[in-house]
Amino acid sequence: YQWDPTSCVNEEDRQKIDTKIQVEEDILQTKGDVDDADVNVKFSVWDFAGQQEYHATHELFFSPRALYILVWDMGVKNEATFPKPDSVSDSDSESEEECISNDEKRRAEGKLKEDIDEKVQFWVNCIQSSAPGAAILPVASFNDKFEDGDNTLDINTAKRRCELMRDRLINNEKRRMDDINQRLEDYKRNHLADSHNAMRLRKLLSSR
């Protein structure tokens, strides 16, 4: 699907859209002088299926000059990510939140982390492997499932899940970069700083 951002707005709104793009030096040499006029930018949108049987084909279309949008359902489709209240409660007046044990909360959070790793981190790793330094935008969906009138607990649950995804991605990226730096130091100590693998690691570091 291709979208021209200026094709679906009126003339007044079109004046508000800044479509100027930075032209690279090699393009200037082939195209000649380029003035400061607006350029109509067209976006090609590719919607990839996330099922496992399609995984092997996705990397064929990965490119560093792209924005990757990873849509996560916040674990809504994975019932194991929701803590279950104790079946027996000492007080009928206790809320469902109060009936959930700490062990059950930790179990559900562990399942949520697994869900993030499988549905988000997996694709981050795939993209970084094929297109190092590419822009990746995680997006949380199914937020309506957490909205229930004035019940702020559900909304806070959605926020906590998004924060957990953010923190987990940041921590995993930090560990990945620490690992790359450590491996690069190992190559240097073994006098292999100019090897193919070492150069690939430096490329990964410079693409951040």
Side-chain angles (χ1 to χ4, degrees):
Y1 175 75
Q2 287 192 337
W3 174 60
D4 181 352
T6 63
S7 64
C8 55
V9 294
N10 56 43
E11 184 62 32
E12 181 180 354
D13 291 335
R14 186 177 294 112
Q15 300 300 323
K16 302 176 183 178
I17 299 178
D18 183 5
T19 60
K20 294 185 176 68
I21 59 174
Q22 183 177 354
V23 181
E24 296 184 1
E25 187 65 27
D26 56 343
I27 299 179
L28 283 174
Q29 294 175 356
T30 58
K31 298 295 184 180
D33 293 335
V34 178
D35 57 25
D36 197 32
D38 284 354
V39 177
N40 286 333
V41 180
K42 290 185 178 181
F43 297 89
S44 296
V45 181
W46 296 69
D47 183 9
F48 294 110
Q51 292 85 343
Q52 187 172 358
E53 53 266 30
Y54 298 110
H55 288 181
T57 63
H58 288 357
E59 295 186 24
L60 298 174
F61 303 94
F62 287 170
S63 167
R65 295 185 178 183
L67 169 63
Y68 295 86
I69 301 176
L70 300 179
V71 182
W72 179 48
D73 63 2
M74 289 195 284
V76 167
K77 296 181 180 180
N78 185 352
E79 293 185 1
T81 66
F82 293 92
K84 305 292 191 300
D86 294 341
S87 57
V88 178
S89 174
D90 294 335
S91 173
D92 294 337
S93 63
E94 283 185 308
S95 67
E96 184 174 289
E97 178 71 15
E98 292 172 337
C99 294
I100 300 174
S101 67
N102 289 332
D103 287 342
E104 175 61 16
K105 290 179 181 179
R106 285 191 291 268
R107 181 207 62 78
E109 182 171 306
K111 291 297 182 181
L112 184 60
K113 290 178 179 179
E114 291 178 6
D115 197 81
I116 294 171
D117 290 343
E118 293 174 3
K119 297 178 180 177
V120 184
Q121 188 65 59
F122 170 81
W123 289 110
V124 170
N125 294 341
C126 286
I127 295 168
Q128 290 286 11
S129 176
S130 299
I136 302 174
L137 176 63
V139 175
S141 62
F142 285 85
N143 64 305
D144 57 305
K145 298 296 183 180
F146 295 91
E147 296 175 356
D148 185 18
D150 294 329
N151 189 346
T152 57
L153 176 61
D154 285 342
I155 296 176
N156 289 333
T157 299
K159 290 180 179 179
R160 286 198 299 269
R161 290 182 172 229
C162 290
E163 290 170 355
L164 180 62
M165 176 187 66
R166 178 200 62 197
D167 295 342
R168 193 156 182 81
L169 291 177
I170 291 175
N171 290 334
N172 286 341
E173 177 65 10
K174 183 178 182 301
R175 283 195 295 268
R176 187 180 77 94
M177 299 310 299
D178 289 343
D179 178 66
I180 290 176
N181 280 305
Q182 182 60 52
R183 289 162 59 192
L184 191 56
E185 287 299 319
D186 291 341
Y187 280 119
K188 291 179 180 178
R189 281 195 299 269
N190 293 302
H191 307 289
L192 296 171
D194 295 328
S195 66
H196 173 74
N197 289 336
M199 288 189 289
R200 184 175 182 275
L201 292 177
R202 283 196 293 271
K203 182 179 179 181
L204 289 174
L205 289 174
S206 63
S207 63
R208 293 187 73 244

